[in-house]
Amino acid sequence: MAEPAPPSEATEAEPSTEAPQVDACALVPKEDAEKLAGTRLEDAVPVRETCTYTGPTSGPLAQVEVYVGDGAKKILDVDRDLDHEFETLSGIGDEAYLEDGAVFFQSAGVWVAIRLVRLDDPAKYDKPLTELARTVAGRL
């Protein structure tokens, strides 16, 4: 029985049309997540193109989630399908949107979503979410 031939490798790398890989935890370091949440948070838990910071078990309830790439855009699309209300933000990346507890933006071909879970009035976090989005867009 003949051995299967090894896969042939291309001699030149083809140009990629995909957006560059971006580290979600580097985009939103712990200190920025804590400033947004207004409380101390645990260390980051990175999983693929996401980064999550949770509040301590002693409270208060807080979580900051960062999504980069297709997953970020998918969350925006799902929220639009569910008829969530959005405010268009100007001056942040190529396009940006704010909804209760979340901000979405696209800059340099990369989508980013930042979601905040707190038990307070979500409007209280509109300005901090917008400011963080502006900062993160500048890091892309």
Side-chain angles (χ1 to χ4, degrees):
M1 186 151 126
E3 292 287 319
S8 61
E9 293 184 31
T11 54
E12 290 185 33
E14 293 184 28
S16 174
T17 57
E18 293 181 24
Q21 291 295 93
V22 179
D23 178 353
C25 294
L27 281 180
V28 181
K30 183 177 179 180
E31 61 202 37
D32 288 353
E34 289 178 332
K35 183 177 177 185
L36 172 63
T39 189
R40 188 175 70 79
L41 298 170
E42 299 294 328
D43 289 339
V45 177
V47 178
R48 291 184 290 283
E49 299 85 27
T50 71
C51 185
T52 303
Y53 300 93
T54 56
T57 56
S58 59
L61 177 79
Q63 184 162 301
V64 175
E65 305 165 356
V66 184
Y67 301 85
V68 177
D70 293 341
K73 178 67 165 81
K74 184 65 175 176
I75 295 168
L76 173 62
D77 292 342
V78 167
D79 286 359
R80 284 178 170 158
D81 289 345
L82 294 172
D83 293 326
H84 288 203
E85 291 186 26
F86 292 92
E87 175 186 340
T88 301
L89 302 174
S90 59
I92 300 174
D94 300 319
E95 59 182 301
Y97 308 96
L98 177 71
E99 72 169 321
D100 282 349
V103 65
F104 304 87
F105 62 92
Q106 187 263 123
S107 182
V110 177
W111 275 98
V112 176
I114 303 170
R115 293 175 41 174
L116 172 66
V117 177
R118 287 298 313 256
L119 295 179
D120 304 22
D121 176 9
K124 174 180 172 180
Y125 299 97
D126 287 354
K127 184 176 181 199
L129 275 165
T130 301
E131 289 171 357
L132 182 55
R134 191 176 317 282
T135 299
V136 172
R139 292 176 180 152
L140 287 173

